[in-house]
Amino acid sequence: MTLVDPQTTTTAAPDGWVRICALDDLEVERGRAALLGGTQIALFLLHSGRVHAVSNFDPYSRAHVISRGIVGTRQDAPTVASPMYKQVFDLRTGACLDAQGKDPVALHVWPVTISDDQVLVRWEAQS
């Protein structure tokens, strides 16, 4: 897990954005977890070069495991399947696409941008 310490980052981020890691720290279609404040986020770099940030908390198993999920697609939607009970979430919206017979619950999603090969997340504390 990546720990974000704003005092040790050397890259200045615009207001409202927080540097999480270098783009090179991510592997294609492999999740990475980061701790931002007291919130765990899961980062996914796709083959397209796009990075998605969603909550690392699986609402079905109530464990922080989404970063260990399996990346895939449903039609045009990039997805991650929870490693616990295999619910499938859209990485763009956090919507649950396959609730495995349970009520759908969405993951929290944060906007991500890449600046100077650094991954920045628009940070707003999760309510």
Side-chain angles (χ1 to χ4, degrees), residues 29-48:
E29 296 199 352
R30 297 275 182 164
R32 286 286 192 265
L35 183 60
L36 188 54
T39 303
Q40 290 190 31
I41 62 175
L43 296 167
F44 294 93
L45 171 63
L46 303 182
H47 283 289
S48 66

Side-chain angles (χ1 to χ4, degrees), residues 2-127:
T2 301
L3 297 176
V4 177
D5 181 359
Q7 297 178 0
T8 60
T9 58
T10 57
T11 301
D15 285 344
W17 294 85
V18 176
R19 179 195 172 276
I20 302 297
C21 62
L23 185 59
D24 290 346
D25 292 336
L26 302 177
E27 295 179 64
V28 174
E29 296 199 352
R30 297 275 182 164
R32 286 286 192 265
L35 183 60
L36 188 54
T39 303
Q40 290 190 31
I41 62 175
L43 296 167
F44 294 93
L45 171 63
L46 303 182
H47 283 289
S48 66
R50 178 95 193 235
V51 177
H52 295 275
V54 298
S55 174
N56 197 34
F57 182 73
D58 178 353
Y60 295 97
S61 67
R62 307 203 55 79
H64 291 88
V65 295
I66 294 297
S67 63
R68 296 177 182 238
I70 300 167
V71 175
T73 57
R74 286 270 170 104
Q75 297 174 344
D76 292 333
T79 62
V80 61
S82 169
M84 297 297 282
Y85 303 126
K86 311 302 183 216
Q87 282 82 9
V88 177
F89 300 93
D90 185 328
L91 285 171
R92 301 170 303 179
T93 64
C96 185
L97 303 177
D98 186 352
Q100 301 289 325
K102 302 197 180 214
D103 292 333
V105 180
L107 298 176
H108 188 90
V109 175
W110 289 273
V112 175
T113 190
I114 308 299
S115 176
D116 296 328
D117 291 326
Q118 302 296 307
V119 178
L120 306 175
V121 171
R122 180 144 185 97
W123 181 244
E124 46 195 69
Q126 190 173 3
S127 56

